[in-house]
Amino acid sequence: MKRILNLTVTASLVIAFGVIAKAQSGGNVLIKNATVMTAAKGTLENTDILVTNGKIAKIGKNIAAPANAKVIDATGKYVSPGIIDAHSHSMLDAINEGSLAVTSMVRTRDVIDPKDVAIYRALAGGVTSALLLHGSANPIGGQSTTVKFKWGRPADEFPIEGAPPGIKFALGENVKRSNFTPQAGQTPRYPRTRMGTMEVLRDAFRRAKDYKQSLDDFKAGKTKVPPRRDLELEPLVEVLEGKRLVHCHGYRSDEHLNLMLLADEFGFRIATLQHALEAYKIAPEVAKRGTGASIFADSWSYKLEAYDSIPYNGYILWKNGVLVSINSDSDERMRRLNLDAAKMEKYGGVPEEEALKMITLNPAKQLGIDKRTGSIEQGKDGDILIWNVHPFSPYSHVEMTLIEGDVYFDRAKDIANREVLAKEREALEKLDMNKAPGAGGTPPRIPAERRIADRDEADRGDNR
Amino acid sequence: MKLKLFLYAFAAMSLFGALANGQSLAITNARIVTVSGSVIEKGTVVVRDGLILTIGADAKTPADAQVIDATGLTVYPGFIDALSSAGLQARTTTPAPGGQGGGQQAAQQAAAQAAPSNSNYGFGIRPEVSAVDDLRGGDTQFDAIRNAGFTSAVTVGRTGIFNGRSAIINLAGDSVSAMLIKEPYAEHISFTTVAGYPGSLLGTFSALRQMLLDARRLEDWQKAYAANPKGMKRPDDDKSLEALIPLLNREMPVVFNANTENEIVRALDLAKEFNLKAIIAGGQEAGKVAERLKSQNVPVLLSLNFPKRTAAANPEADPENLSTLRFRAEVPKTAARLSQAGVKFAFQSGGLTAMNDFFVNAGKSVENGLTKDAAIRAMTLSSAEILDVSDRLGSIETGKIANLTIVKNDVFATDRFVPYTVVDGKLFEQKEPVRAPVGGRGPGGQRGGGANPGAAAPAAAMPAVANVAGTYNITIDVPGQVVSGTLVLTQQGDVINGTMTTQLGVTQIRNGRAFPDGFAFAAAVEFGGATIDIAVKATVTGNILNGTIDSPQGAVPITGTKLP
């Protein structure tokens, strides 16, 4: 019973808080006397950060507070850049368009839900930006969206202006539909093998080239009827032209290598290998192409095609000069990416700042948003976390999360607000429309403990 | 000359009317709410040849008129249900074989094979589908909705992404053509999925976008070809794409079924992208985006099917989300918010099965800040304005279609009763049932009004109901998947109870009724984390069950066999 009561309170507080935290864009704030982990230029003791109109204006000691700035005393506290999750399916009302092998026409931007409570929970764990990816049901999935978690703001304020567009590719078990039995009367979707997957990719890029040719022919007056604008091939033309980043899900390194060879053939670069749990086997090949790796800190051997993954994957990749980031692919794990970064220090000994970069500056570079965010440097966005202790400590928690100088999570306010929300819930539950029916009624919802938190294998037949 | 002809015709029609008996009707001593003008506390409305002839405190009663003494009653313009599926038979589902090939082309080929005639699109993505093709003539099919007080409605199917083209109809008429007021009225779109592509909400938006782009190109191509066909490949005429051209040219409104804030925002975004003449239907969170609706000049067909908790109490269950609790509590305030923000809106039934709830919930909107006048307007003149038929419907004015609703007691009160409705000048009467001492059925129930004015209502000989009790193996044909399960029914007279068991869980049935040829019931199922109210209606022939399940997401067929 107590457990249920706790659940009630926690659930309600996180759902409601955003309404109270009224954010404006471009805040003015002075953070005083913190230990600042810049993720670029080392750690600075007893340092102040001034954010003006959302941008970091000054980093130094004893900065005087401008009249309009909110002053936060961070004495004894740690400050880091906001965490960036380079693989997320949060705030998406649908993750997979798995009906076809190529669904480059679909856009995650069309289905973002700015009220997904996972956003608020992510803010409480220090995540300020994320790459919202299509699922891994097909070789070429949909277009991604790079967002800042501006909880409480309307949907159109989430996508980061100027972030390069992206697209999800996928290889391996999910694409082959190895773990999915077709429903009665359904033909299994092609491809069913890894070689079929490569064929689908090659075919798609050949079609994209033909499409580009047909557009050029029309422009040159060689044809009379304007070609059909093809939303499936348009983004692939952008990939060929280097205007759209490819983020490719895969576990086995032979497949990832094959993909990079295909990209060589068509003359483009893969932006990131996603998951890449055994990419240590091909680390020099990855580094040579300037391709990034976005990995899990653990999940070693969690399924067959992840069998060869090892704890030292991240370290070996980093040692070989690969741009490494650590992602969550999960609403739940997203909340403690700081501890995943700490694991890089433990297994192999990645230096502290390099480990911190793996959840901040490196993903920012992989997503092409490092001019704006990812480290605490003058001129960048004020995407800043204040921690109670060192973020790699298991006792750490985020005290405050700022995006562009505006506070989007404040632990103290959150705690104070729980009682208010509990009261609101109590009042709402008394209303007629919220009362359980006297008799009968539908079965209740499944308790949270039994729900699936990990959305990696998101195509479980539902859209959530 | 024209005037003379008109007068002549008028005289002839009047004569014919008189001869045809009952074509002239006077409602006297009534309180008249004209909506367009001021209320007449005691007056007469005269109706002739299907049109309103005169209104006023001292309007003369023609000698040949049938007279209804409406002392103590209020006459309103006939109420309009701004979105319904009135009169529609469930469309048979023929899902296209899923697009499982190597590319979109394969899926389109599959769709092309499935689609008859010159459409290259599959079931659920065919905008040319028209509600009018599924209508039938006849008055009695509308008895229940008319007895609740409605005289006209927008009607359209609710399956697929393109629900198809709607019709505005009068809720009486011997033939379909006699019922029609405007057809086609609008294209209706739901953000749902179909078998094959698009199989997710992601694909839904991409498919809509591609089809609209293709339609624009087809129009351009057709024009170019018409101007000079020589040396040009002829356009690939596709009637599904052709049906989208009037949308792109703002000649036909697009009604988006969008209930939540997210859905409404997505609809508004799409409307902006393609410059569509958009209307939001459902709109229960429209109050949260009122400013944007106002600035984009998009009206709302606001659903009065208010949400309520259906899940049983269970100490082991998760508590409901605070956002869900808030949503339900906020819905009754939406109408007032739209009204304050200056957003045009009209009420619609939103799939309500008990039409009396329409007025109860309109009353709740009034309790939450909407003025009574605005509430009445939202089911009369505002509806007619949004539907672009305010020149013929929506108020009591000379020359408008004679659709009237005559109400006893306050229209929002629970003892509201509708003794008379007038549709196209034809009078329908409903006798007030004698209330059973306990648990009697409310007014406006199943009892049909006599189509024969003045004649005593036929003795309601209750026809023998079918014996539907038993256990059925059922199959529900949800697009993209087939759900099977068991239906167990028990029966007492015409009341049925029981449970429906599917992979979605066990559902207790509600409001079950047996009819001479089958049964109907309501239920609520949990699906995808949401509670969905469904209405099941089926016929039973021998041991074969055949019917439809209607939900806000659309109608799907249900079939089954009774176990021996």
Side-chain angles (χ1 to χ4, degrees):
Chain A
M1 187 57 208
K2 196 174 173 197
R3 183 179 57 83
I4 290 160
L5 204 73
N6 279 341
L7 256 175
T8 316
V9 175
T10 336
S12 59
L13 87 94
V14 277
I15 287 159
F17 195 69
V19 183
I20 290 144
K22 263 250 164 72
Q24 291 106 38
S25 80
N28 298 301
V29 66
L30 177 66
I31 300 166
K32 294 285 290 176
N33 205 27
T35 303
V36 179
M37 304 171 77
T38 62
K41 289 165 184 162
T43 299
L44 313 168
E45 303 288 340
N46 305 85
T47 298
D48 302 347
I49 305 169
L50 176 67
V51 178
T52 309
N53 299 326
K55 299 272 182 198
I56 298 173
K58 214 173 183 184
I59 304 163
K61 293 193 197 291
N62 302 318
I63 300 172
N68 62 347
K70 170 192 170 87
V71 178
I72 301 166
D73 180 14
T75 306
K77 299 190 196 293
Y78 281 74
V79 162
S80 80
I83 294 170
I84 298 168
D85 188 350
H87 191 132
S88 172
H89 305 294
S90 300
M91 66 182 293
L92 296 181
D93 274 350
I95 296 167
N96 272 301
E97 174 59 56
S99 58
L100 307 172
V102 179
T103 58
S104 32
M105 58 285 193
V106 311
R107 307 173 184 177
T108 49
R109 170 64 187 89
D110 286 334
V111 297
I112 67 176
D113 170 15
K115 300 221 164 84
D116 185 353
V117 68
I119 301 166
Y120 185 70
R121 291 173 180 158
L123 287 168
V127 179
T128 52
S129 299
L131 176 65
L132 308 182
L133 285 168
H134 184 271
S136 54
N138 37 12
I140 298 185
Q143 300 166 31
S144 55
T145 312
T146 312
V147 297
K148 285 204 189 180
F149 280 155
K150 295 186 177 173
W151 174 248
R153 311 296 303 163
D156 56 6
E157 292 185 26
F158 278 70
I160 299 178
E161 218 177 300
I167 189 165
K168 176 76 174 284
F169 282 22
L171 305 166
E173 285 176 9
N174 293 0
V175 173
K176 296 191 295 139
R177 317 306 287 151
S178 308
N179 307 315
F180 305 90
T181 320
Q183 284 152 9
Q186 247 188 355
T187 339
R189 195 201 68 204
Y190 177 81
R192 296 289 282 172
T193 63
R194 290 183 157 86
M195 65 181 164
T197 305
M198 291 310 292
E199 191 278 333
V200 167
L201 291 170
R202 181 168 279 111
D203 174 67
F205 281 109
R206 285 189 182 279
R207 287 193 287 127
K209 285 183 97 162
D210 289 349
Y211 173 59
K212 178 73 174 36
Q213 188 64 52
S214 73
L215 294 176
D216 292 345
D217 286 352
F218 178 72
K219 253 184 230 161
K222 290 185 199 164
T223 50
K224 264 194 159 176
V225 182
R228 166 180 189 254
R229 195 177 151 202
D230 193 320
L231 298 182
E232 180 199 10
L233 298 177
E234 224 167 58
L236 298 182
V237 171
E238 287 167 7
V239 169
L240 289 170
E241 290 172 344
K243 292 175 188 160
R244 183 175 288 275
L245 303 178
V246 175
H247 304 284
C248 186
H249 160 116
Y251 287 89
R252 275 178 36 179
S253 55
D254 55 342
E255 282 195 291
H256 265 152
L257 183 59
N258 259 338
L259 176 79
M260 290 192 293
L261 292 173
L262 181 94
D264 291 350
E265 183 187 324
F266 283 94
F268 66 92
R269 183 180 69 93
I270 303 291
T272 67
L273 305 179
Q274 294 285 335
H275 310 318
L277 293 195
E278 52 165 61
Y280 62 90
K281 293 178 180 176
I282 52 166
E285 286 80 1
V286 182
K288 192 174 81 186
R289 289 172 174 82
T291 292
S294 191
I295 64 171
F296 296 141
D298 28 40
S299 294
W300 321 312
S301 307
Y302 84 99
K303 60 175 174 176
L304 191 64
E305 63 180 355
Y307 197 74
D308 276 0
S309 60
I310 55 170
Y312 297 90
N313 185 36
Y315 170 77
I316 297 171
L317 287 167
W318 170 76
K319 194 78 182 163
N320 278 278
V322 176
L323 186 68
V324 179
S325 70
I326 298 164
N327 69 54
S328 77
D329 192 8
S330 154
D331 288 351
E332 186 273 325
R333 293 201 309 236
M334 182 161 51
R335 301 174 300 121
R336 45 194 169 82
L337 279 168
N338 54 314
L339 299 183
D340 279 354
K343 288 170 194 166
M344 293 297 105
E345 230 184 310
K346 178 173 171 62
Y347 297 109
V350 176
E352 180 184 284
E353 179 157 89
E354 290 302 310
L356 179 63
K357 278 185 191 171
M358 289 184 185
I359 53 169
T360 54
L361 188 59
N362 293 2
K365 285 180 178 167
Q366 292 176 342
L367 307 186
I369 52 172
D370 54 307
K371 290 269 183 297
R372 282 190 58 171
T373 185
S375 58
I376 297 183
E377 291 179 89
Q378 198 177 319
K380 284 202 178 183
D381 292 353
D383 300 347
I384 295 170
L385 311 178
I386 301 172
W387 302 84
N388 60 333
V389 292
H390 191 295
F392 288 179
S393 159
Y395 302 105
S396 64
H397 60 239
V398 171
E399 303 223 313
M400 224 179 246
T401 304
L402 287 82
I403 298 176
E404 292 163 18
D406 288 319
V407 178
Y408 281 84
F409 171 78
D410 182 336
R411 189 178 164 90
K413 271 195 187 162
D414 182 306
I415 290 167
N417 196 40
R418 291 177 196 187
E419 205 183 323
V420 178
L421 291 173
K423 275 193 186 141
E424 187 193 355
R425 165 174 287 274
E426 205 182 323
L428 283 169
E429 280 175 344
K430 281 184 188 146
L431 299 175
D432 275 346
M433 66 279 270
N434 285 329
K435 279 187 195 152
T442 52
R445 291 166 66 84
I446 308 163
E449 296 91 312
R450 281 191 264 129
R451 282 202 220 120
I452 300 154
D454 179 0
R455 288 200 198 149
D456 175 27
E457 313 306 319
D459 189 7
R460 287 189 163 94
D462 62 358
N463 280 336
R464 199 52 263 218
Chain B
M1 177 62 199
K2 248 187 187 165
L3 183 71
K4 208 169 160 190
L5 243 177
F6 175 73
L7 285 174
Y8 186 72
F10 190 74
M13 278 196 308
S14 309
L15 185 64
F16 177 76
L19 288 173
N21 181 30
Q23 294 289 298
S24 176
L25 179 68
I27 298 153
T28 59
N29 301 318
R31 180 170 172 267
I32 304 165
V33 178
T34 61
V35 177
S36 54
S38 50
V39 174
I40 298 162
E41 285 306 331
K42 191 167 184 165
T44 299
V45 182
V46 181
V47 159
R48 191 186 283 281
D49 298 315
L51 300 176
I52 296 167
L53 185 65
T54 47
I55 323 118
D58 34 46
K60 268 197 186 159
T61 302
D64 66 340
Q66 182 196 349
V67 177
I68 299 290
D69 181 1
T71 304
L73 305 179
T74 306
V75 184
Y76 292 97
F79 296 140
I80 301 167
D81 183 352
L83 189 57
S84 75
S85 295
L88 293 183
Q89 303 305 303
R91 195 178 297 278
T92 349
T93 317
T94 46
Q100 306 296 331
Q104 208 177 349
Q105 285 161 340
Q108 278 172 0
Q109 275 162 16
Q113 281 159 11
S117 79
N118 62 324
S119 164
N120 292 299
Y121 295 87
F123 180 81
I125 38 179
R126 303 191 59 194
E128 77 279 14
V129 165
S130 288
V132 70
D133 294 332
D134 288 349
L135 286 171
R136 288 175 311 171
D139 296 343
T140 52
Q141 59 182 328
F142 300 118
D143 283 353
I145 173 172
R146 210 175 39 234
N147 286 344
F150 295 95
T151 60
S152 30
V154 176
T155 186
V156 72
R158 280 191 279 157
T159 51
I161 294 170
F162 288 112
N163 299 166
R165 295 170 155 187
S166 55
I168 305 174
I169 58 170
N170 260 354
L171 295 169
D174 294 334
S175 64
V176 176
S177 50
M179 276 154 37
L180 293 179
I181 294 171
K182 189 173 195 178
E183 193 289 320
Y185 161 57
E187 179 66 50
H188 294 246
I189 292 177
S190 292
F191 297 138
T192 180
T193 60
V194 298
Y197 175 79
S200 76
L201 194 61
L202 283 158
T204 303
F205 287 95
S206 308
L208 283 170
R209 209 174 260 129
Q210 184 73 66
M211 281 183 81
L212 288 164
L213 288 171
D214 289 350
R216 172 65 80 206
R217 173 173 181 256
L218 177 61
E219 189 194 19
D220 293 346
W221 194 353
Q222 281 174 338
K223 278 182 190 160
Y225 191 77
N228 183 12
K230 277 208 176 130
M232 184 182 279
K233 188 184 180 303
R234 71 180 184 282
D236 199 3
D237 281 341
D238 178 299
K239 73 171 169 187
S240 292
L241 293 183
E242 268 174 353
L244 294 177
I245 294 172
L247 279 52
L248 291 163
N249 294 335
R250 295 181 68 90
E251 291 155 9
M252 190 187 285
V254 185
V255 178
F256 289 99
N257 290 318
N259 206 42
T260 64
E261 183 181 358
N262 280 346
E263 287 169 331
I264 297 166
V265 166
R266 288 166 193 163
L268 290 173
D269 285 348
L270 198 67
K272 212 172 183 181
E273 187 178 341
F274 288 95
N275 190 25
L276 305 172
K277 195 172 161 190
I279 295 172
I280 297 297
Q284 292 188 318
E285 279 194 325
K288 295 187 176 179
V289 273
E291 275 172 40
R292 222 188 130 181
L293 288 162
K294 172 81 180 158
S295 73
Q296 267 182 256
N297 195 20
V298 172
V300 178
L301 309 179
L302 185 61
S303 166
L304 285 177
N305 192 354
F306 286 178
K308 52 181 178 283
R309 173 174 168 151
T310 54
N314 183 325
E316 284 302 309
D318 269 0
E320 290 194 298
N321 287 339
L322 190 55
S323 55
T324 306
L325 300 173
R326 282 178 178 157
F327 168 66
R328 294 195 199 113
E330 292 298 303
V331 164
K333 300 173 188 167
T334 301
R337 282 183 187 147
L338 292 178
S339 178
Q340 271 162 16
V343 176
K344 281 191 177 176
F345 69 97
F347 287 140
Q348 54 125 334
S349 53
L352 272 174
T353 38
M355 289 303 280
N356 275 316
D357 286 350
F358 188 104
F359 299 93
V360 172
N361 290 343
K364 284 183 187 163
S365 299
V366 170
E367 286 166 23
N368 281 284
L370 187 70
T371 64
K372 270 195 174 187
D373 287 349
I376 294 293
R377 212 176 187 284
M379 49 183 97
T380 55
L381 194 53
S382 293
S383 322
E385 283 164 1
I386 293 170
L387 305 176
D388 206 15
V389 289
S390 59
D391 53 355
R392 61 205 94 162
L393 280 185
S395 60
I396 303 180
E397 285 180 79
T398 300
K400 280 198 172 181
I401 294 172
N403 280 3
L404 303 168
T405 300
I406 299 155
V407 180
K408 182 180 169 187
N409 303 328
D410 186 295
V411 69
F412 301 119
T414 44
D415 60 354
R416 176 189 65 90
F417 182 71
V418 180
Y420 303 101
T421 46
V422 177
V423 182
D424 268 327
K426 185 171 175 181
L427 181 71
F428 293 89
E429 187 180 0
Q430 176 181 212
K431 294 276 182 224
E432 198 160 8
V434 182
R435 283 171 190 262
V438 185
R441 253 195 266 168
Q446 297 295 331
R447 298 182 60 171
N452 210 352
M462 179 66 98
V465 294
N467 179 19
V468 296
T471 303
Y472 299 79
N473 276 338
I474 52 166
T475 305
I476 303 162
D477 203 352
V478 184
Q481 69 178 112
V482 173
V483 177
S484 52
T486 320
L487 178 66
V488 181
L489 300 179
T490 57
Q491 184 173 1
Q492 250 187 335
D494 69 336
V495 177
I496 55 169
N497 278 303
T499 54
M500 185 167 78
T501 310
T502 66
Q503 62 225 57
L504 301 177
V506 183
T507 306
Q508 206 72 34
I509 73 171
R510 292 183 276 116
N511 306 333
R513 283 281 179 278
F515 302 123
D517 60 344
F519 61 86
F521 63 80
V525 292
E526 289 269 318
F527 186 69
T531 301
I532 299 167
D533 284 310
I534 61 168
V536 180
K537 199 166 185 208
T539 57
V540 180
T541 318
N543 62 344
I544 303 295
L545 178 158
N546 233 317
T548 49
I549 298 186
D550 219 9
S551 77
Q553 280 71 26
V556 294
I558 174 173
T559 53
T561 46
K562 192 173 179 176
L563 301 179

